[in-house]
Amino acid sequence: MIKFIVPLLMGISSVALAAPGASPATVATNKALAATLAWDDRQDFDFAARGFVAGPVAAVVRDKAGAVLRDFGEDAQFSGAAPATVNPSLWRNAVLLAKAGLFKVTDGIWQVRGYDLSNMTVIKGKTGWIIVDPLTTTEAAAAALALVNKTLGARPVTGVIYTHSHADHFGGGLAVVTPGDAASGKVPVVAPAGFMAETIAENVIAGPAMQRRAEYMFGILLPRGPEAHVSSGLGPTRFGGGIGLVPPNDSIAATGDVRTIDGVRFEFQMTPNTEAPAEMNFYLPDFKALCMAENANGAMHNVLTPRGALVRDAKGWADYLLQARRLYAGKSDVVFTSHFWPRWGSAEVGRYLLLHAQAYAFVHNESVRLMNNGLNGPEIAEAIVLPQALGRAWFNRPNYGSLKFNARAVYQRYLGNFDGDPATLDPLPRGDVAVRYVAAMGGAGKVMALAQEAAAKGANRWAVTLLGHVVRAAPDHAAAKEALAASFEQLAWQAEASPWRDFYLSGALELRNGVKPPVAGGLNGIAANLQVASLLDMMSVRVVPERAQGKPFTVALVIPDMKERHLVTVANGVMIHEMGVGDAADATLTIPRLALLGLVGGRVKAADLLQAGTMQISGDPAVLQRLLGLFEPPKAGFPLVTG
């Protein structure tokens, strides 16, 4: 049977990292960067603290089994001057994000910040709370809502808004609204058009690989501290627990669409293919408040996230920021976002949106200019520099997204990974390259010596290039692993972008302690919302081609509760499926959607479904056995450094 690989982000025990200390080169690099930063600009310290109402109800939040989901006491270590092992810009980011609690945005609007990667915004309606972006997990949202009700007075949830299709903005929905109240329409649950399709697509087709990389990107396997995870760039850390999904019952289709939810007027701006494929901003005329979702932030964002996703449209992103400025800045007293802190004053809202838009436009325009002058992705990344007026704005600093990574992403969006050099048209696999590379340089000992010389001079980028080949060519070379881990640490401690720091440190952890298995769950709240076509898409990418050879066969899936019929065809090593096709099949399986999800997910057995009368089979039952034997689950916890 196929197994779903959907993360539950439970409490994870971390392994301490070896940390001999920052090298002289790391200290010098961080000192040089610090000299270029606008330390006299203290505006964010005012904005991040303004409106504080109350701290967390409990210092430590645990699940039913006692595992720690969020320890707010850890946040106290992020204060004072930057230690030698943290980039000073990233340390500033960690200090600002470490204050957790309930904050007033303006009369009638509050945010719970510092609990999770994202913010939960609470708007006071006539009779209850309207919740915007209920955090990543059920437990996080429950803790946040408990703080709101304890501090401001208990009220029912009378509306929910998902600004976009990323899990840290809908995953806690089950804590604020029941599926029944959403399905009946009793509580409006509003999202941008395409929300469900994009949510399912990101968590199903490439979900296992993305989740593995996300563990490294967000430092999920790392402890928190000055030598390990200090900030996620957008928020302090992930809150543990289970991700769920309450499907929306109302979709926003166009800019200018309006809704009144519990007496509060909303005017929406659609921003597809910006930070998320399905995303929207909104304006609250009664409050003179603008919500920019995740399209505007307190740091540069990702045009391509290191965990993996579709490449975002940097030009379109800039255009939507400019549109929001024209539509709303002049009539907004405050702008708030799905991460970071609000900004107050119409002039500040306009300045913020303009400089943010110019930064994304510059990344796009300069990357394309250099591309058209013959530079490839890495060369563009090495050459590009934000103009000083943009780079000195703290909300354009690369604490989350990286200028280099974004420049390469623009190149990839237009030209792909191939750089036009015939030598890279058909590259050798990395393991083969490593063996040949080490042999050509005179063996592992010679390469190690060169790497150690490079590291001693602070050339850690070259050192990790050399050592990476040794580790792949000689997987049991303990000295090479340790040397590579040590160079990763130095690069981490220099990194201004949190994802880069956490990737480097997670790579070091893998080298020193082996591959840590992912925390995975079964058929959770996201998977339970899979439509049959999406389920079949997932199954299709898990077919082992050798098992799908031989005599072709077809299976019809009749889903009575959805009034759907899907024809699955297996031939020539591939599985394809079509909906609404009435062709005869070798076997027909009649089964409700949820039962099919349970069967494919391994939660129920075919014999039990047949005995209960929930499932019926007609035609050749052996064909169904052939179908179920085609698949292999994704490899859990595959290595990213040592494989």
Side-chain angles (χ1 to χ4, degrees), residues 108 122-130 155 158 261-264 287:
V122 180
I123 302 169
K124 187 176 182 180
K126 285 186 175 181
T127 62
W129 302 125
I130 302 164
R155 305 180 103 221
T158 51
I261 303 172
D262 193 16
V264 177
F287 299 89

Side-chain angles (χ1 to χ4, degrees), residues 426-441 468-475 642-643:
D426 187 21
L428 290 165
R430 55 190 177 179
D432 196 357
V433 167
V435 171
R436 295 169 184 263
Y437 196 107
V438 172
M441 292 189 71
H469 287 308
V470 178
V471 169
R472 290 193 184 279
T642 56

Side-chain angles (χ1 to χ4, degrees), residues 269 274 281 292 294-297 299-301 303 313-326 329 348-366 386-387 389-391 393 395-396 403 406:
Q269 179 199 14
T274 51
N281 304 324
M292 288 300 296
E294 203 169 329
N295 288 313
N297 290 281
M300 179 180 289
H301 212 292
V303 176
D313 181 358
K315 180 185 182 302
W317 197 332
D319 290 345
Y320 282 121
L321 287 169
L322 292 174
Q323 183 187 55
R325 180 173 180 265
R326 291 291 180 186
E348 173 60 19
V349 174
R351 181 189 79 93
Y352 171 57
L353 295 180
L354 177 61
L355 292 180
H356 228 30
Q358 288 173 335
Y360 290 114
F362 180 84
V363 171
H364 173 270
N365 296 346
E366 180 67 356
L386 275 181
L390 299 179
F395 48 75
N396 285 334
L403 181 60
N406 286 345

Side-chain angles (χ1 to χ4, degrees), residues 210-270:
M210 285 186 183
Q211 168 56 21
R212 184 57 173 161
R213 288 163 57 135
E215 290 175 352
Y216 281 50
M217 174 176 169
F218 292 107
I220 291 173
L221 302 175
L222 302 173
R224 292 182 74 197
E227 293 169 345
H229 175 79
V230 297
S231 163
S232 294
L234 294 173
T237 189
R238 280 195 175 192
F239 200 111
I243 297 175
L245 173 59
V246 178
N249 54 32
D250 187 9
S251 292
I252 304 301
T255 295
D257 279 1
V258 297
R259 297 289 189 276
T260 298
I261 303 172
D262 193 16
V264 177
R265 294 182 294 161
F266 291 78
E267 180 181 328
F268 293 93
Q269 179 199 14
M270 291 295 292

Side-chain angles (χ1 to χ4, degrees), residues 31-45 88-89 92 96 343 351 388-397 496:
K31 183 177 180 180
L33 174 70
T36 70
L37 300 175
W39 297 109
D40 57 326
D41 179 359
R42 300 282 297 174
Q43 185 184 59
D44 283 346
F45 286 89
S89 172
R92 173 189 176 278
L96 285 163
R343 311 186 82 84
R351 181 189 79 93
Q388 185 178 35
L390 299 179
R392 282 179 63 83
W394 285 106
F395 48 75
N396 285 334
R397 295 306 307 177
E496 190 173 359

Side-chain angles (χ1 to χ4, degrees), residues 54-71:
V57 173
V60 178
V61 182
R62 301 177 183 272
D63 64 13
K64 293 179 180 179
V68 175
L69 301 177
R70 180 72 166 93
D71 182 352

Side-chain angles (χ1 to χ4, degrees), residues 36 51 113 251 265 337 360 363 383 467 544 547 563 613 615 623:
T36 70
R113 302 204 298 267
S251 292
R265 294 182 294 161
T337 56
Y360 290 114
V363 171
L467 292 165
V544 179
R547 301 178 190 175
K563 297 182 173 59
M615 179 176 74
V623 168

Side-chain angles (χ1 to χ4, degrees), residues 174 193 207 332 413 424 427 441 553 595:
L174 288 168
S332 295
R413 181 177 175 87
T424 64
M441 292 189 71
F553 65 91

